[in-house]
Amino acid sequence: MANTLRLYLTCIRNTLEAAMCLQNFPCQEVERHNKPEVELKTSPELLLNPVLICRNEAEKCLVETSINSIRISLKVKQADELENILAKKFLRFLSMRAEAFQVLRRKPVQGYDISFLITNYHCEDMHKHKLIDFIVQFMEVSKGLVNEQLTARVSLDMFVVSEMFILRASM
Amino acid sequence: MAAQAIHQFAECITCHAWSPDHSMIAFCPNTTEVHIYKFFTDKWEKLHVLAKHDQIVSGIDWSRSSNKIVTVSHDRNSYVWTQEGQDWVPTLVILKLNRAALCVQWSPKENKFAVGSGAKSVSICYYEQENNWWISKVIRKKHESSVTSIAWHPNNIHLATTSTDGKCRVFSTIIKGVDTRGPHAGASVDWKFGEQIAQLDLSPTWAFGVRWSPSGKTLAYAGHSSMIYFVDDVEGSPAAQNLALRDLPLRDILFVSEKMAIGVGFDCNPLIFAADETGLWSFVRYLDERKVTPSTSKASQLSEALGKLYGQSRQGSSSDTVEPSKPRGGAHENCITCIVPLRKGSESIVKRFSTSGLDGKIVVWDLENHITIPK
Amino acid sequence: MILLQSPSRFLLQILKDRIVSGDKGVDIDCHTVEFDDVRYHVQFSMRNPKVMVLSVALPLAPPEAILYDGLPLGAIDAIKAAYGAVVQILDPPKDCFDLTMKINLTKLPTDEEQRNVVLTQIASVREVVLGAPLKLLLRHLASKTVAPNVDKLVALVHRPNESFFLAPQADKVTVVYPMRFQDSIDIVLATSFLQEFVEARRTAALNNAPSCMWSPVPPLELKGVNADALDANAGFVTFVVFPRHVEGRKLDKTVWSLLTFHAYVSYHVKCSEGFMHTRMRRRVESLIQALDRAKSDAEKLKKLVHGGSFRRLSMKHEGNSNH
C-alpha cells in the first residue's frame, strides 16, 4: 500500500518540477492585463497538455500548466466514513484559511476535492523546490498518513473508554 | 570558481544591461523602474533611477558606441534615454503597439532597435534626424503569438525572432535611408522590409532566447520542452541540430564564440554547449561547480514528465523513492532570465558575461581560466 | 474524567454553599440543564432561610414509556426512601416541572460528614427519580427473581422522546438501546465508538463484565415494538446484565451507568471531535508555516538589498571592477 503512495507522490513531484517553469507573461487578449493563463484559457497556444496522474480510480491529481501559471487539482478517496468526514473537515478548515494559503484556489476544479493555483509571482517570491515540497507534504497530510494515525488514536481512546464503562459494572 | 562576483541587488531582477565601460549596470528590479548602479571602490551604489514606465520594464539595452539606453515595458511604451550631464533624459518612442513590449535590442550599428511584443508583432525603430524623434515600423505579419525574443544578425538587417507559437523566424528590416547598400548587402538587397526570409518550425512548444553566432552563420534558440536548436545557414539551406537538455528548459542564450554557447534558464546554472570540428554541437557541462548533479534516474524521470507535458515520447523509467526536491545550489537560487556579454574592446570572443535572475542576483562569470573557448 | 458521576456537581455546590453561608447569604434562583435532557431549578430566599426548593423537569416521555403522575414507576417511593424527612414533595409541582421538592435545611445532620452524604444524595436526585423503575427491576435480578406485574419488555425514558428497553428475566436482564444522534458527524463517530464497545467487551471477558453487542438493525428482543421507537441512526446496543453485576453496592453504579448511557457516548464523541479538531488545526498551522518558510528567504533579502555590500569570490582580478 505504502509503495503505491510513494510512486504516486514521486510522479507528481517530477511532473511539478517540469511543469513549474513559469514566467511573467502579459495577457495577449487584453492590453495592460496580466492574468493566470491557466484560468483564462484565452490563448490555446499558451497552454500545455494537462497531465492526469492516477493512483487508482478514486485518487488522482490533475496538473494543468500554462506559460505563467499552474493549476494542481487533487481528488482524495477515504477508506471509510470516518476518514471521509475528517477529510471534509480538514478541507473546510483550509478553505477558510485560503488567505494564508496564497496558493490555494478558493473553489476546487469541478470533479476534484481541492485545487492550487500557482503563478509566476509565487515562484518569484518562493523557492520552487520548497513550493513543491509543500504540495507533496499537503498531499500526504490530506491523504491520510496523518488521518490514519488520527483515527487509530481516536479508536484506541474509544476502546479504553468503552472498557471502563463495562468494567464499572463488574467492580 | 567560474562565478567571479555575485551581488544581490533586489528581490527579483527582470533584465539588465551594462554601460559601455562596464562601470555601471542598469537593471529592472521587477518594478516599473530601472535602477543604475555604479561601482565605487568596494561597493555598488545606486546612481540613477529611471522612472517613466508604469508597468514592469521587460527589456533594457545599452548601446556601446552611442551610450544610449533603450527600455521597453508591459505598458506598451519604449523610451530612449540619453545622458545629459548627470541626468538621463527620456525620449518617448511611439511603438504603435496595443499590447505589452517584451524584449528590445539595439542593432549592431546602433542606428535601429527592435522590439518584440505581445501584439504578435515586431517594431523596428530608427532615428529621424529632421524631426529629432524615433519612428517605428511594424512587422505585423507571420507571428501567430507573442514575440518573446529578438536577435540582430551582424549585417544590421536580418532580424531573428522567437515566439510562443513555437517558431523561429528571420525577417529583413531594411529601411530606406537608414540601411545603405554596402559590402553586407548581397542577397539581402532583394528582401523588402518586413519580409520573412526563413521560418523554423523545430519546437513543439514556446521558443525563447534566439541568438546569432558572431559571424552570423549559426543561429541558436531554446524550446520550452527542454530543447536547444542550432541552425546553420538559415537564409540559404538551413541545417538544424536539435539537442535535448538533461533537465529544465532555457530562457536565454549567449554565443561566446563561433563554436561555444552558454544557455541559462530554469536550472539556475549556466549550461555550456560547444561544437566540434565538424560543426556538431553538444552539451559540455554546467558552468557552476557548486551544482548538485542529479542522478541519472532523476533526470530520466524528469524527462518522462516533460514528455507528457509537451506530447512527445521521451525515454524514462520510474523510481521508488520520493526524494525531496533539492535546491539547485550554486550562485543563482532561482531561474536565470537574462545573460549579457562583457566584451573587452572589439574582441569577438566573450570571456566574461553576467547573468541575472528571479533571485535578484547579478552574477559575473569568467570563462578565462575555466574552459578553453574554441574559436 | 472518563466516567460520569451521579451527583450533580452544580446542585451539590449550591447546597454546600448555602450551608456554609449560614446567616449571611443571598437569594438563589438558578436554572440548569444536565446532559441536555433534565432541567433543575433551585430556589432559596433569605426570607425563608430554613428551606430550599428544588424542581426537576424530566425528559419528555415517548408513548411507549409509561409514567405515573408524570413520574417514573416507583419514583415517589424512592424519594421517600432516599431522603426521609429532609425532603417534602410538593403537589402539584411548579409550572413546567415534573417534580418539586422542599428541602428542610434544619433537618440535615449536624455532623459535617453525614450531612455531606445527605447533600450528595439530594444532588443525585436524577438517579433516584429516573432510576427508580430500573432499580426496581435490577433489585429483583439480584435476588434472582422477576418483579411482579411487569411486561416481558419494559420501555423506560432515556432521553426526550426516546426510550430504552429492558427484558427482565430471573437470571438476567437484557437492556437494548436504540441510539440516535442528530449531527451527521456525531452519527459516524458514535457508530465507530459503539463498535469499540464490542471490542472492549471481548478483552474484558475475564472480568465478568456484562456482555455487549451492537447491531445496525433492531435485535430480536425488540420484536413487536412500535416502528418509531426503533428508528436508530447509530444502531442498537445490547447489554446483558447478570445478578453478580447488581449485588450490593454495584446496584447503584450499574443503574447510573445504564441510565446515562447516551450521555456517556455523547460526551466522549464530543471529546473525540474536539481532539480531532485540535489535531487538524495544528496540521493546518504547520502547513501554513511550511509555506511561510518557502517565502522567508525573500523577505529577509529586503533588508540586505539596501546595504550595497559586494561579495568578491575570486582574488585573481583584484581591482578589476572597472574592466
Side-chain angles (χ1 to χ4, degrees):
Chain A
M1 175 65 127
N3 273 334
T4 61
L5 181 64
R6 292 280 150 233
L7 274 172
Y8 180 55
L9 293 178
T10 308
C11 189
I12 289 175
R13 187 186 283 282
N14 290 334
T15 307
L16 291 181
E17 276 263 10
M20 218 183 277
C21 292
L22 308 174
Q23 52 189 275
N24 191 332
F25 196 82
C27 186
Q28 280 179 171
E29 300 304 310
V30 186
E31 59 183 272
R32 298 174 68 89
H33 271 221
N34 194 318
K35 297 282 184 281
E37 289 295 330
V38 77
E39 295 282 344
L40 250 49
K41 296 199 191 331
T42 49
S43 306
E45 77 274 13
L46 299 176
L47 306 170
L48 296 180
N49 296 333
V51 176
L52 184 64
I53 303 154
C54 293
R55 189 181 173 193
N56 51 53
E57 302 91 45
E59 279 186 72
K60 48 190 182 168
C61 174
L62 178 68
V63 179
E64 300 165 279
T65 315
S66 72
I67 193 161
N68 64 358
S69 45
I70 177 174
R71 199 159 66 183
I72 304 158
S73 303
L74 304 172
K75 181 138 189 79
V76 190
K77 169 76 165 72
Q78 303 302 334
D80 56 31
E81 267 305 297
L82 190 57
E83 281 199 358
N84 210 12
I85 282 177
L86 287 176
K88 274 203 200 117
K89 266 202 182 288
F90 188 58
L91 291 174
R92 214 183 111 249
F93 265 52
L94 291 170
S95 52
M96 291 198 301
R97 287 166 172 74
E99 283 301 312
F101 279 111
Q102 297 165 35
V103 296
L104 199 66
R105 193 175 187 260
R106 278 190 200 282
K107 272 204 173 147
V109 164
Q110 184 85 349
Y112 292 85
D113 295 320
I114 194 159
S115 296
F116 295 94
L117 176 66
I118 298 175
T119 67
N120 59 287
Y121 297 112
H122 295 133
C123 295
E124 284 164 17
D125 283 342
M126 307 184 214
H127 290 135
K128 176 177 160 183
H129 66 276
K130 285 189 180 153
L131 253 180
I132 295 178
D133 283 345
F134 167 77
I135 302 274
V136 174
Q137 188 185 345
F138 179 92
M139 292 188 65
E140 287 176 335
V141 164
S142 58
K143 159 52 205 159
L145 282 177
V146 169
N147 282 357
E148 277 158 21
Q149 288 166 18
L150 199 56
T151 51
R153 166 74 193 272
V154 168
S155 294
L156 182 64
D157 286 350
M158 287 175 166
F159 179 89
V160 167
V161 158
S162 313
E163 223 183 8
M164 288 199 66
F165 181 91
I166 294 170
L167 288 176
R168 186 196 224 175
S170 56
M171 292 186 292
Chain B
M1 213 175 313
Q4 186 186 35
I6 300 177
H7 187 66
Q8 185 84 48
F9 280 102
E11 278 174 51
C12 184
I13 292 181
T14 320
C15 51
H16 73 284
W18 292 88
S19 62
D21 63 354
H22 303 157
S23 67
M24 292 192 280
I25 190 164
F27 62 86
C28 171
N30 210 31
T31 64
T32 61
E33 299 173 341
V34 174
H35 294 187
I36 298 181
Y37 277 66
K38 191 178 172 89
F39 190 71
F40 289 105
T41 325
D42 62 346
K43 60 184 170 82
W44 289 91
E45 280 178 24
K46 193 191 295 190
L47 217 56
H48 303 107
V49 173
L50 311 180
K52 262 304 206 176
H53 290 290
D54 51 29
Q55 281 196 303
I56 201 171
V57 177
S58 46
I60 305 173
D61 201 9
W62 202 325
S63 61
R64 289 181 75 197
S65 311
S66 48
N67 195 39
K68 288 196 201 305
I69 300 177
V70 62
T71 60
V72 292
S73 157
H74 287 183
D75 66 6
R76 305 166 299 149
N77 291 331
S78 169
Y79 288 93
V80 173
W81 304 78
T82 322
Q83 193 167 26
E84 282 168 26
Q86 294 292 18
D87 300 315
W88 284 91
V89 178
T91 309
L92 176 67
V93 178
I94 312 288
L95 292 173
K96 298 193 265 191
L97 286 183
N98 60 3
R99 293 288 180 273
L102 301 177
C103 49
V104 65
Q105 199 179 64
W106 285 107
S107 70
K109 284 195 184 146
E110 296 171 9
N111 54 359
K112 296 190 281 191
F113 65 87
V115 179
S117 81
K120 309 177 190 178
S121 62
V122 181
S123 294
I124 311 293
C125 303
Y126 62 96
Y127 190 65
E128 201 173 69
Q129 192 70 47
E130 304 89 68
N131 294 313
N132 190 26
W133 67 355
W134 293 84
I135 293 185
S136 152
K137 282 191 82 166
V138 184
I139 304 175
R140 288 192 204 282
K141 291 194 277 197
K142 298 299 180 186
H143 292 104
E144 289 149 23
S145 193
S146 298
V147 178
T148 56
S149 76
I150 42 162
W152 287 98
H153 188 281
N155 68 11
N156 207 60
I157 291 174
H158 291 170
L159 182 77
T161 70
T162 51
S163 163
T164 39
D165 65 9
K167 301 184 179 65
C168 175
R169 301 174 175 85
V170 180
F171 294 89
S172 164
T173 66
I174 196 159
I175 297 175
K176 235 195 217 168
V178 178
D179 298 300
T180 50
R181 297 181 190 199
H184 296 293
S188 53
V189 179
D190 298 321
W191 302 99
K192 294 204 195 77
F193 174 87
E195 269 198 76
Q196 180 179 283
I197 296 168
Q199 179 173 291
L200 300 164
D201 196 1
L202 302 168
S203 174
T205 184
W206 319 311
F208 303 101
V210 66
R211 288 285 177 270
W212 296 93
S213 66
S215 69
K217 288 207 197 88
T218 310
L219 184 71
Y221 69 100
H224 201 70
S225 55
S226 281
M227 300 287 291
I228 183 168
Y229 305 97
F230 291 95
V231 188
D232 289 324
D233 196 18
V234 185
E235 296 103 317
S237 46
Q241 288 174 54
N242 305 5
L243 257 71
L245 303 177
R246 193 166 67 184
D247 275 345
L248 299 175
L250 300 174
R251 290 283 302 271
D252 205 359
I253 297 170
L254 173 71
F255 272 95
V256 296
S257 78
E258 201 58 37
K259 291 253 192 290
M260 180 172 276
I262 310 283
V264 292
F266 291 96
D267 277 340
C268 312
N269 192 338
L271 283 76
I272 305 173
F273 300 94
D276 63 13
E277 316 80 51
T278 65
L280 197 68
W281 286 89
S282 63
F283 169 67
V284 177
R285 65 174 174 88
Y286 285 96
L287 183 55
D288 199 352
E289 293 98 31
R290 275 191 270 171
K291 176 178 167 63
V292 174
T293 324
S295 61
T296 40
S297 68
K298 177 147 199 280
S300 63
Q301 288 162 36
L302 210 50
S303 212
E304 201 179 325
L306 287 169
K308 297 225 165 49
L309 288 169
Y310 306 110
Q312 292 173 312
S313 57
R314 284 168 77 124
Q315 284 168 354
S317 58
S318 60
S319 148
D320 267 66
T321 53
V322 188
E323 296 162 28
S325 295
K326 296 194 187 90
R328 295 268 148 185
H332 277 292
E333 292 166 341
N334 207 334
C335 176
I336 305 173
T337 55
C338 184
I339 180 168
V340 177
L342 288 161
R343 277 195 183 83
K344 256 193 191 155
S346 55
E347 269 186 19
S348 60
I349 292 184
V350 174
K351 294 197 186 118
R352 296 167 80 240
F353 60 88
S354 62
T355 54
S356 69
L358 300 182
D359 57 357
K361 290 185 189 166
I362 293 182
V363 179
V364 176
W365 305 83
D366 189 338
L367 293 173
E368 189 105 61
N369 302 305
H370 294 90
I371 193 153
T372 24
I373 306 169
K375 293 184 191 166
Chain C
M1 177 192 77
I2 291 186
L3 296 168
L4 299 176
Q5 303 301 317
S6 174
S8 157
R9 284 163 71 165
F10 175 78
L11 288 180
L12 191 55
Q13 197 62 47
I14 291 186
L15 290 168
K16 280 188 175 167
D17 285 349
R18 174 80 295 276
I19 305 299
V20 163
S21 310
D23 295 330
K24 308 158 208 145
V26 293
D27 288 359
I28 300 169
D29 194 322
C30 302
H31 290 259
T32 187
V33 177
E34 186 179 56
F35 304 157
D36 212 22
D37 50 17
V38 167
R39 275 186 302 120
Y40 299 113
H41 184 199
V42 186
Q43 286 167 299
F44 171 81
S45 169
M46 286 306 288
R47 280 177 282 126
N48 200 357
K50 294 185 190 156
V51 159
M52 273 183 95
V53 180
L54 172 62
S55 299
V56 182
L58 302 175
L60 182 69
E64 63 275 5
I66 304 162
L67 294 179
Y68 301 85
D69 283 334
L71 292 176
L73 174 71
I76 297 193
D77 288 337
I79 293 168
K80 287 190 184 141
Y83 306 132
V86 178
V87 158
Q88 183 195 352
I89 299 174
L90 297 180
D91 189 28
K94 281 207 186 300
D95 254 347
C96 303
F97 287 90
D98 298 301
L99 171 73
T100 302
M101 307 188 300
K102 199 156 82 173
I103 304 166
N104 193 336
L105 298 169
T106 57
K107 294 239 169 106
L108 290 168
T110 39
D111 171 56
E112 192 184 332
E113 217 181 292
Q114 286 178 353
R115 186 174 61 224
N116 278 340
V117 168
V118 177
L119 290 179
T120 306
Q121 189 66 335
I122 294 175
S124 305
V125 62
R126 179 200 180 109
E127 186 191 331
V128 170
V129 173
L130 279 174
L134 186 57
K135 208 174 227 174
L136 199 71
L137 291 168
L138 292 179
R139 205 175 269 131
H140 280 271
L141 178 66
S143 59
K144 299 199 176 82
T145 55
V146 183
N149 301 325
V150 146
D151 298 328
K152 268 219 168 128
L153 192 66
V154 180
L156 298 178
V157 177
H158 190 200
R159 302 192 68 233
N161 222 12
E162 286 177 36
S163 49
F164 66 109
F165 299 89
L166 293 114
Q169 290 169 279
D171 59 339
K172 66 178 185 203
V173 172
T174 308
V175 189
V176 184
Y177 296 89
M179 299 299 288
R180 273 172 217 99
F181 290 87
Q182 281 190 311
D183 189 61
S184 57
I185 294 170
D186 284 356
I187 296 172
V188 173
L189 283 171
T191 310
S192 293
F193 187 15
L194 295 171
Q195 285 163 332
E196 287 301 323
F197 266 89
V198 181
E199 287 305 308
R201 172 59 182 82
R202 265 192 225 134
T203 64
L206 296 171
N207 281 303
N208 298 320
S211 75
C212 173
M213 280 156 289
W214 180 85
S215 117
V217 293
L220 292 169
E221 286 86 350
L222 296 185
K223 207 169 20 174
V225 173
N226 181 13
D228 284 341
L230 296 183
D231 167 33
N233 54 26
F236 296 82
V237 178
T238 306
F239 287 105
V240 182
V241 182
F242 295 99
R244 62 175 177 275
H245 301 131
V246 290
E247 283 163 3
R249 302 180 68 153
K250 291 189 233 173
L251 175 65
D252 284 346
K253 281 196 245 173
T254 304
V255 165
W256 173 250
S257 294
L258 291 174
L259 203 58
T260 52
F261 182 62
H262 189 280
Y264 186 74
V265 174
S266 220
Y267 169 63
H268 286 288
V269 159
K270 289 299 176 195
C271 285
S272 301
E273 267 188 74
F275 169 71
M276 285 192 262
H277 272 219
T278 311
R279 287 287 289 264
M280 265 193 273
R281 214 173 277 131
R282 251 184 249 153
R283 267 287 145 180
V284 169
E285 294 308 324
S286 77
L287 281 175
I288 292 179
Q289 275 165 23
L291 204 54
D292 281 344
R293 267 197 302 273
K295 273 193 280 177
S296 63
D297 291 25
E299 299 295 290
K300 284 180 208 158
L301 282 178
K302 270 191 188 143
K303 294 159 199 167
L304 284 178
V305 165
H306 304 293
S309 61
F310 187 36
R311 199 166 110 233
R312 291 225 93 168
L313 293 176
S314 141
M315 302 314 279
K316 273 216 166 156
H317 302 273
E318 271 300 30
N320 204 20
S321 57
N322 291 324
H323 316 303

